[in-house]
Amino acid sequence: MLAVLAVLIFFMFRNSRKRQAEAQQLQSKVQPGARVMTNFGVYGTIVSIDEEENQVLLEVSPGTVLTVHRQTVARVVEPAVTEDETETHEALEGEPEFGERDEAHTNDTPGDTTPDVKKSDD
Protein backbone atom coordinates (compact mmCIF):
# COMPACT_ATOMS: atom_id res chain seq x y z
CA MET A 1 0.00 0.00 0.00
CA LEU A 2 2.82 2.38 0.84
CA ALA A 3 4.55 1.67 -2.47
CA VAL A 4 1.36 2.51 -4.42
CA LEU A 5 0.94 5.70 -2.38
CA ALA A 6 4.57 6.66 -3.05
CA VAL A 7 4.10 6.13 -6.82
CA LEU A 8 0.93 8.28 -6.82
CA ILE A 9 2.70 11.08 -4.96
CA PHE A 10 5.64 10.86 -7.37
CA PHE A 11 3.36 11.25 -10.40
CA MET A 12 1.47 14.14 -8.77
CA PHE A 13 4.71 16.08 -8.25
CA ARG A 14 5.92 15.22 -11.75
CA ASN A 15 2.69 16.49 -13.36
CA SER A 16 2.82 19.63 -11.24
CA ARG A 17 6.35 20.41 -12.41
CA LYS A 18 5.39 19.74 -16.02
CA ARG A 19 2.45 22.19 -15.79
CA GLN A 20 4.69 24.84 -14.20
CA ALA A 21 7.24 24.44 -17.01
CA GLU A 22 4.50 24.79 -19.64
CA ALA A 23 3.15 27.91 -17.92
CA GLN A 24 6.63 29.48 -17.86
CA GLN A 25 7.13 28.63 -21.53
CA LEU A 26 3.78 30.26 -22.37
CA GLN A 27 4.63 33.39 -20.39
CA SER A 28 7.93 33.68 -22.25
CA LYS A 29 6.06 33.65 -25.59
CA VAL A 30 3.54 36.26 -24.42
CA GLN A 31 4.91 39.56 -25.67
CA PRO A 32 3.56 42.57 -27.60
CA GLY A 33 2.66 41.68 -31.18
CA ALA A 34 1.89 38.01 -30.43
CA ARG A 35 -1.48 36.61 -31.56
CA VAL A 36 -3.11 34.86 -28.60
CA MET A 37 -6.29 33.15 -27.45
CA THR A 38 -7.75 33.76 -24.00
CA ASN A 39 -9.38 31.22 -21.67
CA PHE A 40 -12.81 32.45 -22.73
CA GLY A 41 -12.12 32.02 -26.46
CA VAL A 42 -11.33 35.57 -27.58
CA TYR A 43 -8.56 35.87 -30.17
CA GLY A 44 -6.48 39.01 -30.38
CA THR A 45 -3.06 40.61 -30.68
CA ILE A 46 -1.20 41.81 -27.62
CA VAL A 47 -0.68 45.58 -27.68
CA SER A 48 1.11 45.95 -24.35
CA ILE A 49 1.74 44.16 -21.05
CA ASP A 50 1.62 45.81 -17.61
CA GLU A 51 3.85 43.67 -15.36
CA GLU A 52 2.94 45.52 -12.14
CA GLU A 53 -0.84 45.15 -12.54
CA ASN A 54 -0.69 41.78 -14.41
CA GLN A 55 -2.80 43.21 -17.21
CA VAL A 56 -2.62 42.73 -20.95
CA LEU A 57 -4.05 45.10 -23.55
CA LEU A 58 -5.49 42.88 -26.25
CA GLU A 59 -6.61 44.24 -29.63
CA VAL A 60 -9.42 41.98 -30.83
CA SER A 61 -10.38 44.04 -33.89
CA PRO A 62 -9.09 47.29 -35.35
CA GLY A 63 -9.81 49.97 -32.78
CA THR A 64 -11.18 47.57 -30.13
CA VAL A 65 -8.80 46.99 -27.22
CA LEU A 66 -9.65 44.83 -24.22
CA THR A 67 -7.88 44.88 -20.87
CA VAL A 68 -7.59 41.33 -19.49
CA HIS A 69 -5.66 39.68 -16.68
CA ARG A 70 -2.39 38.18 -17.82
CA GLN A 71 -3.36 34.68 -16.64
CA THR A 72 -6.38 34.59 -18.96
CA VAL A 73 -4.05 34.25 -21.95
CA ALA A 74 -4.39 30.54 -22.65
CA ARG A 75 -2.07 30.06 -25.62
CA VAL A 76 -0.11 31.77 -28.33
CA VAL A 77 -1.65 31.16 -31.75
CA GLU A 78 0.90 30.45 -34.46
CA PRO A 79 0.21 30.15 -38.18
CA ALA A 80 -0.66 26.54 -38.91
CA VAL A 81 0.48 26.28 -42.54
CA THR A 82 2.47 23.09 -42.96
CA GLU A 83 3.79 21.21 -45.95
CA ASP A 84 1.05 18.58 -45.59
CA GLU A 85 -1.66 21.23 -45.91
CA THR A 86 -0.06 22.79 -48.98
CA GLU A 87 0.24 19.36 -50.64
CA THR A 88 -3.40 18.61 -49.84
CA HIS A 89 -4.45 22.02 -51.22
CA GLU A 90 -2.49 21.40 -54.43
CA ALA A 91 -4.13 17.98 -54.83
CA LEU A 92 -7.60 19.52 -54.48
CA GLU A 93 -7.06 22.32 -56.99
CA GLY A 94 -9.00 20.36 -59.61
CA GLU A 95 -11.98 20.10 -57.26
CA PRO A 96 -14.82 22.60 -57.66
CA GLU A 97 -15.17 25.29 -55.02
CA PHE A 98 -18.18 25.39 -52.71
CA GLY A 99 -21.20 26.52 -54.71
CA GLU A 100 -19.63 25.76 -58.12
CA ARG A 101 -21.01 23.11 -60.39
CA ASP A 102 -18.86 20.18 -61.36
CA GLU A 103 -19.59 20.00 -65.10
CA ALA A 104 -18.16 16.48 -65.39
CA HIS A 105 -20.77 15.05 -63.00
CA THR A 106 -23.93 16.91 -63.99
CA ASN A 107 -26.84 14.93 -65.46
CA ASP A 108 -28.20 17.81 -67.54
CA THR A 109 -27.67 17.56 -71.25
CA PRO A 110 -26.17 20.73 -72.70
CA GLY A 111 -28.74 20.96 -75.53
CA ASP A 112 -31.85 20.60 -73.31
CA THR A 113 -33.29 24.09 -72.76
CA THR A 114 -36.91 23.01 -72.14
CA PRO A 115 -38.18 24.49 -68.87
CA ASP A 116 -39.55 22.10 -66.27
CA VAL A 117 -43.32 22.64 -66.06
CA LYS A 118 -45.62 21.04 -63.50
CA LYS A 119 -48.96 19.99 -64.91
CA SER A 120 -52.04 20.60 -62.84
CA ASP A 121 -54.30 17.80 -61.65
CA ASP A 122 -57.40 19.14 -63.57
Side-chain angles (χ1 to χ4, degrees), residues 1-8:
M1 291 293 281
L2 290 175
V4 171
L5 183 61
V7 169
L8 287 175

Side-chain angles (χ1 to χ4, degrees), residues 3 9 17 21-22 29 46 52 81 83 91 97 102 106 121:
I9 291 172
R17 287 183 187 160
E22 289 174 357
K29 288 182 181 179
I46 296 177
E52 294 174 5
V81 177
E83 291 181 35
E97 292 292 323
D102 186 5
T106 57
D121 293 335

